[in-house]
Amino acid sequence: MTPVDDERLPPGFSAIVANIGVRDETDDFSVVVADRPCAAAAVFTRSRFAGPSVELSRRHVADGTLQAAVVISKNANVATGDEGASNAREVAQRVAAALDIPVESVLLSSTGVIGRQYPMARVRAALESLGPPTHTDATAVARAMMTTDTVPKVAVAQAGAARVVGVAKGVGMIEPNMATMLAQVFTDAEIAAPQLDAIFRRVVDGTFNCLSVDTDTSTSDTAVVLASGGAGPVDHDVLEAALGDVCLSLTRQLARDGEGAEKLLVVQVTGGRDPAQAKRVAKAVVNSPLVKTAVHGADPNWGRVVMAIGKCEDDTDIDQRRVVVRFGDHEVYPAPVDEPGLARLEELMRAAEVHIGVDLAVGDGAATVYGCDLTDGYIRINADYTT
């Protein structure tokens, strides 16, 4: 991957970052725009309460072309009825007019509190006075997307002559289902939209869809990629690898910054009947509140892991007599763990990154998922979220 200190957007992309009045104290708006129409692909939440921004953006990306990606943070514009849908359309229209591009080439994402209308009088005034896109700093874009995030999330990679730069936000309400929180990836690689879509869906499935903080699927999940073509054609395998590197880095950053989190939790399942079974079991482990609290307390209670595996009751080919569980490189089941072994495991689990491995001994399927520990900080953040 390209060094993270080189966090410029790819050549041909620029941004506007501003406060448009959703919140008074911080930037709450970003738009990244390309100097030409881009091949584009996106995946969205499957929530039955998907917000107007998601519905609008689904329509706009349907032809595989976009030129700008907008984020409004601190307000999700979800469960806001016809007024919310009208406001989303107006925001897209005003941004398109300011950038002198077709409205259909604007993707709009919103994130924050559900059930509140945009403060449209302030939003209109701010959008009318937007200056030209001058930013090339991806970190500024990522920071403007933040809600309860504690740090901006940026990842960069090289794909031949092209750059791949991704930004993301999200630390709570995270159990992706076809997408994740908000993630935007930009590249100057040249690729046709159908091929980009196929690549991006594979990448999302192996990265963002392997992430969970709290098992709650957002109403606003959107992951999008724009490819401008400015750097010319890139080998598709090379581009997919670079996209994978960027999205995996963002996935790990998102998990590590989970609301109240103090540790990154990585669960790897091997020996599944197929990758789907392996992911299902891994998600059962990473989502278990008892496993997550044990990780937080550095308690090597492997019984909670086998409990979580056992919840996959429809996977009748899982035989407890064949399963192996490891914390790091240390087997904890079925081999017994003595007192000195428990002490070593406690030390391992005090690390900032904790690995749990499970071998199902059923087939060749494998999956790795990413999450975090569960702390009292998560409860405090979400108990006080709207107040």
Side-chain angles (χ1 to χ4, degrees):
M1 292 183 65
T2 303
V4 178
D5 58 2
D6 184 8
E7 294 181 343
R8 296 164 299 159
L9 293 167
F13 288 89
S14 55
I16 301 170
V17 174
N19 179 283
I20 61 170
V22 179
R23 288 282 181 92
D24 292 334
E25 67 274 16
T26 61
D27 288 333
D28 51 28
F29 172 87
S30 68
V31 54
V32 177
V33 59
D35 60 4
R36 67 191 75 186
C38 298
V43 287
F44 301 93
T45 182
R46 296 175 65 185
S47 169
R48 301 308 304 162
F49 263 82
S53 298
V54 169
E55 300 293 351
L56 178 146
S57 294
R58 280 191 180 122
R59 296 192 298 272
H60 285 191
V61 78
D63 66 353
T65 304
L66 292 171
Q67 195 167 349
V70 176
V71 174
I72 293 178
S73 63
K74 287 78 172 179
N75 183 314
N77 188 25
V78 168
T80 49
D82 291 342
E83 182 181 352
S86 175
N87 289 339
R89 290 193 298 271
E90 182 178 343
V91 168
Q93 289 163 353
R94 288 180 176 274
V95 171
L99 298 175
D100 194 24
I101 61 176
V103 65
E104 294 80 10
S105 68
V106 176
L107 179 134
L108 174 63
S109 299
S110 303
T111 178
V113 178
I114 290 171
R116 295 181 180 175
Q117 301 289 348
Y118 290 149
M120 286 304 294
R122 283 178 283 173
V123 170
R124 289 185 187 105
L127 294 181
E128 286 174 359
S129 61
L130 280 183
T134 57
H135 275 282
T136 58
D137 180 5
T139 301
V141 175
R143 186 173 290 111
M145 297 166 65
M146 292 167 54
T147 50
T148 55
D149 303 63
T150 66
V151 293
K153 298 160 184 72
V154 181
V156 181
Q158 198 73 26
R163 282 170 53 81
V164 179
V165 180
V167 295
K169 67 79 54 184
V171 288
M173 200 186 289
I174 296 177
E175 171 62 83
N177 190 0
M178 289 306 293
T180 180
M181 307 69 55
L182 301 185
Q184 299 179 339
V185 184
F186 308 99
T187 179
D188 51 347
E190 180 182 328
I191 182 172
Q195 286 71 44
L196 181 63
D197 182 76
I199 288 172
F200 194 56
R201 288 179 184 277
R202 287 195 297 270
V203 167
V204 166
D205 194 51
T207 56
F208 296 136
N209 274 349
C210 290
L211 169 65
S212 183
V213 168
D214 51 18
T215 80
D216 285 334
T217 297
S218 171
T219 56
S220 304
D221 290 347
T222 301
V224 61
V225 58
L226 277 68
S228 70
V234 173
D235 180 89
H236 288 185
D237 290 340
V238 171
L239 179 59
E240 183 164 351
L243 286 168
D245 286 346
V246 164
C247 293
L248 180 58
S249 175
L250 293 173
T251 296
R252 289 174 59 88
Q253 292 178 58
L254 290 161
R256 192 179 294 279
D257 195 32
E259 286 178 336
E262 297 178 3
K263 299 177 182 179
L264 173 64
L265 173 58
V266 181
V267 179
Q268 183 178 42
V269 174
T270 58
R273 177 176 65 250
D274 49 35
Q277 183 187 51
K279 183 186 286 189
R280 188 162 53 249
V281 172
K283 281 288 189 77
V285 175
V286 85
N287 281 332
S288 164
L290 290 175
V291 172
K292 291 159 75 70
T293 50
V295 170
H296 175 62
D299 178 8
N301 188 343
W302 56 265
R304 295 182 177 184
V305 176
V306 300
M307 172 279 300
I309 300 167
K311 289 194 298 184
C312 300
E313 57 195 51
D314 292 333
D315 291 282
T316 56
D317 50 354
I318 296 177
D319 184 344
Q320 63 176 286
R321 294 167 296 183
R322 301 171 63 190
V323 172
V324 176
V325 178
R326 296 180 177 86
F327 287 2
D329 293 331
H330 301 272
E331 184 175 324
V332 297
Y333 173 84
V337 182
D338 57 19
E339 288 301 319
L342 283 174
R344 290 193 297 273
L345 289 173
E346 289 174 7
E347 183 64 28
L348 180 151
M349 294 189 69
R350 279 193 283 269
E353 184 169 326
V354 175
H355 288 248
I356 295 175
V358 177
D359 184 358
L360 298 176
V362 176
D364 298 325
T368 302
V369 303
Y370 305 86
C372 59
D373 58 342
L374 178 60
T375 73
D376 56 354
Y378 178 88
I379 297 170
R380 190 74 276 138
I381 289 168
N382 285 286
D384 299 337
Y385 184 66
T386 63
T387 55

